[in-house]
Amino acid sequence: MSNLFAMIMNPEHPDRPLSWPQRCAQLESENAGLRERVRWLEEQIRLAQQRRFGASSERSDAAQLHLFNEAEAEAASAVEAPAEHETITYQRKKKTPGQRDAALQHLPTERIEYRLPPEAQQCSACMGPLHEMGEEVRRELQVIPATIKVVEHVRMKYSCRTCEEQALRTPIVTAPMRRPVYPGSLASASLLAHILHQKFTLGLPLYRQEQDWARLGVPLSRQTMANWVMFAAQEWLAPLYQILHDRLRQRDILHADETALQVLHEDGRAAETQSYMWLYRTGRDAPAIVLYEYQKTRGKEHPKKFLDGFKGYLQVDGYAGYHDLPAIILVGCFAHVRRYWMEALQTIPKADRAGPSLARVGLDFCNRLFAVERDLREKNPAERRDGRRVRSAPILAAFHAWLIGQQPQVVPKSATGRAITYTLNQWPALQTFLEDGRLEIDNNRAERSIKPFVIGRKGWMFANAPRGARASAMTYSIVETAKENGLNPQAYLQYLFEELPNRDLTNPAIWEDLLPWSPQLPDRVRSPQSGPDASR
């Protein structure tokens, strides 16, 4: 019986029973694995709760992060430390006088004056006459709802009376008239621009526009508007898109990103199959170009083909589809790295997040790099490059050494382990921003540019067919490029639809004064608010 208790059957080798020490070691190993599994599941639950109920902001308290900084902090930027008894004062920022008036000066002004009737213009004290000594002004913005009218373009025809009476043939002359944007339809340049603006700038689906037109008494169906959108994109915007594509590939710094898109009717594919909208855009150098491209897959052949002829830096996230592109140097994104460390911090129980942790240290390294970038934001490229080499390079070196030291001690599948693995896998590309002051530390520029499409997608959910997805890509490209160059998208689209039908599109010279950054564009297409976010 003692032998029976002293020996435990081995499930893998019944003929080789386990001793008690072997069985204890086996149970301890299984227990450690189960504890690690429970810890991982708890992390996933906390992360899911954070994503569902927590704030979406990725901000962190810099002061808290530095409380538990490790020895690597000695490699921080060489900023002179404040004196022990230094007094710091804060001054509340006041609005500049006349700022609101300056913001409204481009709008037409209607003046309504209020005066006392003659019989009331008498002093209540001495009964003498009153005179105007000044005025009190109250300003308000008044909205004039949209109005629709029918415009009839009537071409007069001319004939010769003499020839009608005496000649065998009478010549007829018709007055010249500008060509319409869509022959044979009710679409005017302003109406078509309005529909595209509502859909692609404001994210209003065509079925909601149909309802709005019905309230205005205009029977305009979504099918009709869809046909107009397709025609406008293929006939007028496609040539401009191609020119912008050519100009894009001539630059030496670009950003890229991609997002999922559902297209219902694709040949040989189920309706629920995921397609993709790719985004390519220029960097901080002006003029800005933002281009979308629809593709059925996320394969690396698509950026390779779209960027054919491009040579230079390409700033992307960690997706492997951008790797091995010819003549291209990849630039990594520290915003994605920081996101991994933020998620690792959020998997820690809330009561323990303020304490020391590997996630907090990793996040602190990222925050210090971004702090340097904020200090260098207004510098020129050469100064920014030199500043990074002096201040950011030591932080990067310390960060990399810390990652190498921590990697063997952390479970790879944990949130912190994933953050370490992701950061190390991207490390060569993450250091590239030190090479050129025009490069950025993150790919947020591309993420901001793809956001209007992502927000619009929430309204219409999917595209019906590839033809519509391609039309959407071209229209979004023109709209977003116009916004980046300080144009009013609706006014710019209307100008294009007025001009393009009446120009020889085969002549390359006609496009120069139509490009979104052309100084020849009329003032009416420019947004009164300057800057790339004028229309956002």
Side-chain angles (χ1 to χ4, degrees), residues 83 106 127 180-181 201 299 425 476 501:
H106 66 283
M127 306 306 290
V181 64
T201 308
N425 287 345
Y476 269 115

Side-chain angles (χ1 to χ4, degrees), residues 64-77:
Q64 278 286 349
L65 293 180
H66 282 290
L67 288 177
F68 305 101
N69 200 11
E70 296 190 357
E72 289 85 351
E74 296 301 323
S77 57

Side-chain angles (χ1 to χ4, degrees), residues 111 113-116 130-137:
R111 181 181 173 93
E113 297 181 347
Y114 300 88
R115 287 185 168 85
L116 291 173
L130 299 178
H131 69 278
E132 293 182 1
M133 57 168 288
E135 59 183 25
E136 179 182 305
V137 180

Side-chain angles (χ1 to χ4, degrees), residues 331-434:
V331 188
C333 175
F334 261 101
H336 281 77
V337 172
R338 189 183 185 279
R339 212 162 288 158
Y340 271 85
W341 289 102
M342 179 64 77
E343 286 188 354
L345 185 64
Q346 291 168 347
T347 61
I348 299 174
K350 197 169 185 179
D352 300 330
R353 289 180 193 172
S357 65
L358 297 181
R360 192 168 282 284
V361 175
L363 188 60
D364 178 55
F365 274 114
C366 297
N367 286 343
R368 286 156 57 196
L369 289 169
F370 279 101
V372 175
E373 291 302 304
R374 286 193 295 272
D375 291 344
L376 301 177
R377 182 178 299 162
E378 302 302 324
K379 305 293 185 181
N380 62 49
E383 293 172 334
R384 193 178 299 115
R385 180 201 59 202
D386 294 341
R388 287 170 174 171
R389 291 178 178 178
V390 171
R391 301 175 58 183
S392 298
I395 300 175
L396 284 169
F399 193 11
H400 188 257
W402 179 81
L403 290 168
I404 295 297
Q406 298 300 325
Q407 189 178 32
Q409 308 175 39
V410 178
V411 178
K413 290 187 178 181
S414 66
T416 301
R418 291 198 307 272
I420 291 175
T421 301
Y422 179 86
T423 308
L424 287 175
N425 287 345
Q426 301 299 316
W427 196 257
L430 289 173
Q431 299 182 90
T432 309
F433 80 104
L434 296 175

Side-chain angles (χ1 to χ4, degrees), residues 45-204:
I45 292 172
R46 283 192 288 269
L47 192 56
Q49 289 176 331
Q50 168 65 29
R51 288 172 176 169
R52 184 178 181 185
F53 303 110
S56 59
S57 173
E58 297 177 356
R59 294 180 180 176
S60 56
D61 186 348
Q64 278 286 349
L65 293 180
H66 282 290
L67 288 177
F68 305 101
N69 200 11
E70 296 190 357
E72 289 85 351
E74 296 301 323
S77 57
V79 179
E80 184 178 353
E84 288 188 7
H85 301 289
E86 180 180 6
T87 302
I88 302 176
T89 59
Y90 297 91
Q91 183 176 0
R92 186 181 298 275
K93 186 177 180 180
K94 297 182 179 180
K95 289 186 177 181
T96 304
Q99 187 175 3
R100 185 172 66 175
D101 293 345
L104 303 178
Q105 65 182 359
H106 66 283
L107 297 175
T109 301
E110 178 184 353
R111 181 181 173 93
I112 302 176
E113 297 181 347
Y114 300 88
R115 287 185 168 85
L116 291 173
E119 60 273 14
Q121 296 183 19
Q122 191 175 45
C123 178
S124 59
C126 69
M127 306 306 290
L130 299 178
H131 69 278
E132 293 182 1
M133 57 168 288
E135 59 183 25
E136 179 182 305
V137 180
R138 172 175 63 89
R139 287 189 170 186
E140 60 186 19
L141 292 175
Q142 185 181 63
V143 176
I144 302 174
T147 58
I148 302 100
K149 64 181 179 181
V150 177
V151 178
E152 294 183 344
H153 296 269
V154 183
R155 300 178 69 183
M156 296 302 177
K157 297 182 177 181
Y158 298 85
S159 176
C160 174
R161 292 292 189 190
T162 303
C163 291
E164 287 177 352
E165 297 175 355
Q166 301 177 7
L168 295 176
R169 188 177 66 87
T170 303
I172 297 176
V173 180
T174 305
M177 180 178 67
R178 289 177 64 83
R179 294 176 181 174
V181 64
Y182 195 161
S185 76
L186 291 174
S188 65
S190 61
L191 177 57
L192 191 54
H194 179 78
I195 292 172
L196 266 62
H197 170 70
Q198 292 284 102
K199 177 173 172 58
F200 296 101
T201 308
L202 304 182
L204 192 65

Side-chain angles (χ1 to χ4, degrees), residues 243-312:
I243 291 175
L244 294 176
H245 186 192
D246 294 338
R247 300 292 179 93
L248 181 89
R249 289 179 292 186
Q250 295 173 10
R251 302 292 186 87
D252 61 347
I253 296 178
L254 296 180
H255 295 248
D257 200 2
E258 74 288 333
T259 187
L261 167 68
Q262 186 179 0
V263 181
L264 297 184
H265 299 101
E266 291 179 311
D267 293 339
R269 308 183 82 201
E272 63 272 13
T273 305
Q274 231 175 37
S275 299
Y276 285 87
M277 189 69 81
W278 296 73
L279 171 99
Y280 306 90
R281 63 151 302 148
T282 53
R284 65 174 80 217
D285 290 343
I289 301 175
V290 182
L291 298 183
Y292 294 80
E293 186 196 32
Y294 154 75
Q295 291 291 352
K296 291 182 179 180
T297 68
R298 205 184 180 197
K300 63 180 181 181
E301 66 273 12
H302 303 310
K304 182 178 180 181
K305 181 179 179 181
F306 192 89
L307 296 174
D308 183 33
F310 166 70
K311 297 179 181 180

